[in-house]
Amino acid sequence: MSHSSSRPRRHAQPATQAHAQAPQGGRHELGQNFLVDRSVIDDIDGLVARTSGPIVEIGAGEGALTLPLSRHGRPLTAVEIDPKRARRLDGRTPGNVTVVCADILRHRLPQHPHVVVGNIPFHVTTPIVKRLLAADHWHTAVLLVQWEVARRRAGVGGASMLTAAWWPWYEFELRSRVPARSFRPVPSVDGGLLTMRRRTDPPAVERGPYQDFVKQVFTGRGNGLRQILERTGRFDRDALRAWLRHHPAAHRALPKDLTAHQWVSLWQHSGGRHSGGRHGGGSLR
């Protein structure tokens, strides 16, 4: 897509108060490790290309992802916390790109369907992911995060409590491992390319009570899953025995070993309340 030099220049929006107070001395102060590996950039660009709708980029930096993404011609909001980099990027982007100088944890996300993409600063990965999971309207997120975080979010080697708490509403997929040498400065750990997709037909589960249940099971004490579940006081003994018969591997499992389907099934066997919304009867897909 061509970029006309006569296009009126847009100015990056002012920083929030929290951003203005942040040290601006360099990359490490902002937790930034910039992506320089062209193959990884192409992978991320390819994943976004399979989606539709406006794009919101987290941590645009010097534009390593912004510029390739801008060539799709879709509306793109590039959020960058560093005012100097935001101003420089604003001068290099075509008309379909709006550069916003803001903290993504405070920036208001669009109130219409959109895609989220970004090379996430490792030290704020969990707050950003939590914010996205609680937000409405976006349908796909393509995120470059710390390798172990990507694995846990996708349930590889055992899911985290956060993943289990949101599995009825989102699909998490680990796409690839990204070597530390793909960044500048080089971090001490590798990155992982993670996709999160909102389920189009989630099961009819009440979010608050279900997430309380997941927390109770994850933090419960016991020698194995059966004992943990018995001590929650939520299960009729016959109902629990029947569930374990249908899931024999769960006898030797811990909460982190359960799948998305098993969590919802377990919640239903506990007598958990179900919402009567339009998605009633939906299944995990």
Side-chain angles (χ1 to χ4, degrees):
M1 182 173 181
S2 63
H3 174 195
S4 171
S5 61
S6 62
R7 174 174 65 90
R9 296 310 309 156
R10 293 161 288 103
H11 296 289
Q13 295 183 13
T16 61
Q17 183 177 1
H19 170 216
Q21 294 172 347
Q24 306 300 324
R27 295 172 179 176
H28 290 292
E29 286 82 350
L30 297 176
Q32 294 169 305
N33 297 93
F34 297 115
L35 183 61
V36 296
D37 189 324
R38 176 52 59 181
S39 65
V40 178
I41 293 170
D42 289 344
D43 287 345
I44 295 173
D45 186 52
L47 289 169
V48 175
R50 300 174 200 172
T51 68
S52 61
I55 303 167
V56 174
E57 183 190 359
I58 299 172
E62 302 288 350
L65 288 173
T66 314
L67 298 176
L69 292 172
S70 72
R71 298 183 190 118
H72 297 294
R74 293 153 60 178
L76 168 58
T77 301
V79 183
E80 169 55 41
I81 195 171
D82 186 331
K84 292 181 180 179
R85 290 193 173 91
R87 285 194 295 271
R88 284 201 300 266
L89 185 60
D90 189 53
R92 301 170 58 210
T93 51
N96 59 309
V97 178
T98 301
V99 179
V100 177
C101 183
D103 182 344
I104 191 61
L105 293 174
R106 294 165 176 78
H107 176 66
R108 183 178 181 183
L109 294 170
Q111 300 299 298
H112 51 72
H114 61 282
V115 176
V116 178
V117 61
N119 172 22
I120 308 301
F122 288 174
H123 73 292
V124 289
T125 298
T126 297
I128 289 175
V129 169
K130 284 183 175 180
R131 185 179 179 214
L132 290 177
L133 292 174
D136 295 322
H137 304 298
W138 65 270
H139 55 82
T140 306
V142 180
L143 306 176
L144 182 50
V145 299
Q146 189 172 338
W147 171 243
E148 284 302 322
V149 172
R151 291 181 76 253
R152 295 297 302 277
R153 289 293 85 78
V156 177
S160 67
M161 182 167 65
L162 179 64
T163 294
W166 289 98
W167 249 339
W169 300 278
Y170 295 98
E171 295 176 285
F172 303 86
E173 183 177 358
L174 178 62
R175 308 294 303 200
S176 63
R177 186 166 186 158
V178 178
R181 64 178 180 273
S182 300
F183 304 89
R184 294 293 183 276
V186 178
S188 59
V189 295
D190 289 345
L193 189 52
L194 173 75
T195 57
M196 305 192 305
R197 292 186 176 89
R198 194 181 301 272
R199 298 187 190 275
T200 57
D201 189 21
V205 174
E206 284 189 77
R207 182 176 295 175
Y210 168 81
Q211 292 182 338
D212 288 342
F213 168 73
V214 169
K215 182 177 181 180
Q216 184 181 14
V217 174
F218 254 92
T219 58
R221 295 183 178 181
N223 184 19
L225 184 65
R226 178 170 188 159
Q227 193 173 94
I228 293 172
L229 295 175
E230 287 175 343
R231 290 181 176 180
T232 65
R234 290 175 175 264
F235 290 90
D236 172 83
R237 181 168 296 180
D238 291 336
L240 180 56
R241 189 177 294 119
W243 188 87
L244 289 169
R245 278 200 304 269
H246 283 89
H247 303 274
H251 282 274
R252 302 179 298 278
L254 292 173
K256 70 181 181 65
D257 302 314
L258 297 178
T259 67
H261 298 273
Q262 288 173 329
W263 274 109
V264 172
S265 174
L266 194 59
W267 166 246
Q268 293 168 346
H269 276 75
S270 76
R273 290 176 290 155
H274 296 68
S275 63
R278 61 186 177 90
H279 292 305
S283 60
L284 286 167
R285 297 190 296 177

